[in-house]
Amino acid sequence: MNTNQARTPNNYLKAIRLINIEGDKCAFETGKIPIRQHINANYFFAQTDVSTLEKIPHPAPRRQYVITLKGKLKFTVSNGETFIIEPGIVLIANDTAGEGHTWEIVDGNEWERIYIPLEEDADDYFTLD
């Protein structure tokens, strides 16, 4: 491992959280979530469709984890900053108001993912790096 790379301890997974900021703009935070942490959720669902929202600004329809199984995507937030989501990085979508974010596939043409909606008052266990 390159010593300049950020290292996430073995008891955490790398995570990026979309958030609402002043004026219902969208921003993101980079951090981690603990492994083996029980998180309250009632259901989950899988999705493979990429045509409906790709490159279209939108907020998250609910607070949710998005677990990418296959694909590499570039997300863009309100101020134009971007980040990459790929397998091994958990996305926590908390930008449920305003203009939201956009995403586009940057490698191939597939995005297989699992959505895990969070209960309204459930802790997402995200911590900043």
Side-chain angles (χ1 to χ4, degrees):
M1 172 181 240
N2 182 333
T3 56
N4 293 330
Q5 283 183 299
R7 216 185 129 121
T8 303
N10 291 337
N11 54 346
Y12 287 91
L13 294 175
K14 184 174 181 179
I16 296 175
R17 181 167 63 179
L18 291 166
I19 58 171
N20 284 121
I21 57 173
E22 186 177 332
D24 283 336
K25 300 277 188 198
C26 177
F28 68 91
E29 305 171 305
T30 302
K32 58 194 175 191
I33 59 168
I35 63 168
R36 300 179 193 243
Q37 175 64 53
H38 290 221
I39 298 165
N40 291 333
N42 287 330
Y43 66 97
F44 72 91
F45 60 97
Q47 192 163 339
T48 60
D49 180 40
V50 295
S51 60
T52 52
L53 290 175
E54 185 171 14
K55 300 180 185 177
I56 299 171
H58 62 281
R62 69 195 74 77
R63 291 178 61 233
Q64 60 190 359
Y65 279 88
V66 183
I67 312 299
T68 295
L69 303 173
K70 183 177 185 181
K72 183 175 183 177
L73 295 94
K74 179 174 75 171
F75 279 73
T76 305
V77 296
S78 299
N79 68 1
E81 290 185 352
T82 63
F83 62 89
I84 299 293
I85 288 291
E86 58 190 337
I89 302 172
V90 175
L91 177 65
I92 303 170
N94 277 351
D95 63 325
T96 57
E99 63 190 58
H101 58 274
T102 62
W103 57 263
E104 64 181 293
I105 296 175
V106 294
D107 188 10
N109 59 2
E110 295 180 292
W111 184 23
E112 294 178 0
R113 66 237 185 242
I114 294 175
Y115 291 97
I116 307 170
L118 294 168
E119 293 294 315
E120 190 68 32
D121 57 351
D123 190 337
D124 63 17
Y125 295 98
F126 176 89
T127 55
L128 294 170
D129 276 339

